[in-house]
Amino acid sequence: MNLARILVVEDDEVMRTFVVNSLRRLGLQNIETATDGATALRTMVVFRPDLVLTDIHMQPMNGLDFVQQLRGHANPLVKNMKVIFMSADASPATLNEAMPLGTYGYIVKPPRLDTLKAKIELALK
């Protein structure tokens, strides 16, 4: 798990720093960040992450649109990217939109370290 390349997509600077620091506490060092879905798509091409942790509510491209773009991508590495949603929004409407996108889970923010570890381990198996 420690060699995994993780892309954190989060528009809130405080939360982004919190998630990156949490990942480092879990021993993950190869971390890249993006502030929205559009930036994340460009970053993915260069960084080629093993897993993406993405917020849902962001502008101009939110997490749901971002993952839909991934799933429709021509490159199979991008198309089949492992994704975990992170959001403070756990409403049924958001969950119903998020879950069919083929992700490895939904973490309510701020993520607890044990929850983050368990979801990442499951995704990277």
Side-chain angles (χ1 to χ4, degrees):
M1 178 169 119
N2 291 4
L3 298 174
R5 300 160 70 86
I6 311 284
L7 175 59
V8 176
V9 188
E10 170 64 65
D11 58 345
D12 181 86
E13 188 177 347
V14 173
M15 185 55 66
R16 192 169 56 245
T17 303
F18 177 83
V19 172
V20 168
N21 289 341
S22 297
L23 293 172
R24 291 209 167 104
R25 283 175 57 199
L26 293 173
L28 295 153
Q29 298 303 323
N30 207 345
I31 304 162
E32 195 64 56
T33 62
T35 53
D36 68 89
T39 311
L41 284 171
R42 291 193 297 276
T43 305
M44 287 189 68
V45 178
V46 183
F47 181 60
R48 298 182 56 184
D50 299 303
L51 176 66
V52 175
L53 298 174
T54 184
D55 185 18
I56 290 181
H57 300 292
M58 302 177 287
Q59 295 295 332
M61 184 190 287
N62 71 34
L64 297 169
D65 291 341
F66 165 60
V67 176
Q68 283 168 340
Q69 296 257 336
L70 293 183
R71 297 299 176 242
H73 205 278
N75 181 333
L77 290 173
V78 176
K79 183 177 183 162
N80 301 317
M81 179 55 55
K82 294 176 177 182
V83 176
I84 296 173
F85 279 121
M86 297 181 303
S87 184
D89 175 3
S91 70
T94 302
L95 286 167
N96 287 341
E97 267 190 280
M99 294 334 282
L101 295 172
T103 60
Y104 280 80
Y106 194 102
I107 298 173
V108 177
K109 295 190 301 193
R112 289 186 16 227
L113 207 56
D114 57 342
T115 304
L116 206 53
K117 184 177 194 286
K119 295 277 188 194
I120 290 171
E121 283 176 347
L122 182 69
L124 294 176
K125 252 203 288 201

